[in-house]
């Protein structure tokens, strides 16, 4: 039997900040934000850490299970509570999954796609049978709230899936995972200070999220669209029956551009960035959860979807799956 996503769950912090509230604390307007990004609001964690958001999702995913049957927990995040322990280990403790090994995946906005691909390989090995894959972020903690060009773009949230070896037909059909470290500096956050006494490197105070938006837009239009086109061309039969694209929810305009560049019908690109902003590794599972909730996605193995993540690293990854 084959690995399959059998459950999805989400959790977002209660506090909602609409664009108008941001224009009270920085020089921006609802008009600018909505027209340039499609974002109307974002959820902000005021007292919850990334591991606490992820744990809320994990608890929902295991609610109807014996938590001791979970073999692994993978958390994709670029805003971990600590360098160590991993956020996944904190989730393991929180839900009591004592038989699970736990690791974080650091691939920024491609994190969930990288983590899901990793989980599938764990299951295909036959050694493991069941795991949790969660994307979780508290982007609000790494933003420079004086910098209107980035502070308005991001939000907090978590969502994830239960994946297990139960399917009679393969769910994971094709994938392409890539990185381009030559443009690593296009999106950076939280450079850790060096403080050993022999330190010859100056400890750079660059700690807030910094983004070269133009460079990343170009990367998405050129490299990410190329990855999608090639993956679909190499799997043309599956591509014929493509129902939906669940792309990283960074910006509504980028979805317009991707649809044009890939020649995939725009209405196949699902979107919910308006409600959450860019939640990095949580954006694709949040979209998955919302679209299962509203019935667009049925989790009956009949729908062909493309998951595509892209962002910091620079990283990009696409998975063609039967959901
Ligand atoms: O002036 C404008 O229109 C601005 C121009 C700059 N903008 C950007 C630029 C880049 C991103 C972005 C970020 C990531 C990281 O998750 C991944 C993918 C993308 Cl495409 C999002 N917004 C906002 C509107």
């Amino acid at each position: 039997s084959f690995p399959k996503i059998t459950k999805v769950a989400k959790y977002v912090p209660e506090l909602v900040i609409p664009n108008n509230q941001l224009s009270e604390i920085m020089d921006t307007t609802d008009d600018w934000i909505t027209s340039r990004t499609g974002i109307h609001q974002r959820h902000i964690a005021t007292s919850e850490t990334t591991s606490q958001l992820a744990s809320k999702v994990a608890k929902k995913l295991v609610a109807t299970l014996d938590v001791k049957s979970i073999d692994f927990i993978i958390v994709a995040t670029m805003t971990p509570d600590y360098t160590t322990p991993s956020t996944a280990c904190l989730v393991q403790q929180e839900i009591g999954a004592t038989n699970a090994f736990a690791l974080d995946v650091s691939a920024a906005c491609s994190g969930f796609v990288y983590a899901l691909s990793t989980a599938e390989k764990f299951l295909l090995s036959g050694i493991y049978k069941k795991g949790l894959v969660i994307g979780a972020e508290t982007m609000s903690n790494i933003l420079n709230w004086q910098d209107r060009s980035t502070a308005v773009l991001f939000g907090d949230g978590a969502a994830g899936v239960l994946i297990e070896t139960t399917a009679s037909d393969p769910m994971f059909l094709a994938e392409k995972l890539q990185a381009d470290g030559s443009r690593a500096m296009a999106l950076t956050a939280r450079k850790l200070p060096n403080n050993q006494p022999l330190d010859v490197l100056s400890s750079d105070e660059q700690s807030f999220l910094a983004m070269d938006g133009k460079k990343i837009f170009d990367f998405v239009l050129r490299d990410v669209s190329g990855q999608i086109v090639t993956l679909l061309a190499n799997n043309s039969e599956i591509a014929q029956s493509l129902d939906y694209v669940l792309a990283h929810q960074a910006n509504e305009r980028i979805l317009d551009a991707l649809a044009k560049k890939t020649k995939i019908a725009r209405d196949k690109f699902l979107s919910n960035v308006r409600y959450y902003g860019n939640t990095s590794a949580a954006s694709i599972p949040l979209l998955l959860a919302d679209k299962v909730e509203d019935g667009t996605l049925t989790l009956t193995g009949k729908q062909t979807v493309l998951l595509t993540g892209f962002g910091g690293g620079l990283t990009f990854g696409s998975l063609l799956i039967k959901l």
Side-chain angles (χ1 to χ4, degrees):
S1 49
F2 297 92
K4 177 166 174 44
I5 291 173
T6 54
K7 213 165 168 191
V8 298
K10 72 177 208 189
Y11 176 79
V12 286
E14 193 188 332
L15 179 63
V16 173
I17 303 289
N19 292 345
N20 283 328
Q21 205 169 325
L22 286 183
S23 43
E24 286 164 18
I25 57 167
M26 66 182 79
D27 179 17
T28 185
T29 64
D30 176 38
D31 247 12
W32 189 92
I33 301 171
T34 41
S35 62
R36 307 295 283 257
T37 69
I39 298 165
H40 290 242
Q41 63 180 45
R42 71 283 299 145
H43 291 253
I44 299 293
T46 52
S47 62
E48 293 160 302
T49 63
T50 299
S51 69
Q52 287 168 324
L53 303 187
S55 297
K56 289 274 180 59
V57 173
K59 279 182 185 149
K60 291 182 182 180
L61 290 172
V62 302
T64 59
L65 304 178
D66 167 10
V67 74
K68 300 288 187 287
S69 70
I70 301 294
D71 295 319
F72 59 83
I73 300 171
I74 306 177
V75 173
T77 184
M78 64 178 274
T79 54
D81 294 24
Y82 301 89
T83 311
T84 199
S86 68
T87 302
C89 281
L90 298 173
V91 172
Q92 193 245 31
Q93 181 271 332
E94 184 62 29
I95 67 170
T98 45
N99 292 327
F101 67 91
L103 70 144
D104 287 0
V105 162
S106 174
C109 317
S110 310
F112 183 75
V113 165
Y114 270 45
L116 198 56
S117 170
T118 304
E120 188 225 0
K121 308 306 179 289
F122 282 143
L123 296 174
L124 284 177
S125 74
I127 305 169
Y128 310 106
K129 300 271 178 294
K130 197 183 290 184
L132 305 183
V133 181
I134 298 168
E137 304 286 8
T138 49
M139 298 301 285
S140 57
N141 290 327
I142 63 169
L143 294 176
N144 175 355
W145 286 95
Q146 314 308 322
D147 173 10
R148 68 182 179 175
S149 73
T150 50
V152 305
L153 304 179
F154 295 91
D156 301 342
V161 300
L162 172 69
I163 180 169
E164 49 189 316
T165 315
T166 54
S168 48
D169 301 315
M171 172 186 153
F172 289 82
L173 308 174
E175 71 176 46
K176 182 77 176 168
L177 302 182
Q178 293 178 273
D180 174 3
S182 74
R183 286 181 277 185
M185 293 301 123
L187 198 159
T188 58
R190 264 200 191 148
K191 178 175 168 32
L192 299 177
N194 308 307
N195 60 5
Q196 34 87 353
L198 308 175
D199 172 11
V200 292
L201 304 170
S202 68
S203 91
D204 178 353
E205 74 296 332
Q206 167 65 53
S207 65
F208 296 125
L209 182 141
M211 180 175 82
D212 179 339
K214 167 110 188 52
K215 202 166 206 175
I216 299 182
F217 246 109
D218 292 344
F219 161 65
V220 177
L221 296 190
R222 223 178 303 279
D223 303 77
V224 177
S225 61
Q227 179 184 85
I228 294 170
V229 167
T230 306
L231 186 66
L232 295 181
N234 294 343
N235 298 275
S236 52
E237 214 170 294
I238 301 164
Q240 304 292 329
S241 63
L242 182 67
D243 295 305
Y244 296 109
V245 177
L246 282 80
H248 168 48
Q249 299 291 295
N251 178 309
E252 195 74 39
R253 300 287 74 76
I254 202 74
L255 300 183
D256 301 338
L258 269 181
K260 223 176 264 146
K261 290 285 284 189
T262 59
K263 296 189 178 31
I264 299 170
R266 177 65 176 82
D267 61 4
K268 289 191 177 184
F269 283 75
L270 300 179
S271 160
N272 67 355
V273 70
R274 62 182 296 131
Y275 301 112
Y276 303 109
N278 179 342
T279 56
S280 186
S283 87
I284 290 176
L286 269 173
L287 184 59
L288 199 48
D290 281 352
K291 295 300 176 183
V292 167
E293 210 172 291
D294 76 8
T296 305
L297 298 175
T298 57
L299 286 192
T300 52
K302 293 188 186 61
Q303 293 168 308
T304 304
V305 305
L306 176 73
L307 305 186
T308 295
F310 41 84
L314 296 177
T315 55
F316 51 134
S318 294
L319 305 177
L320 254 182
I321 62 175
K322 272 278 194 208
L323 254 189

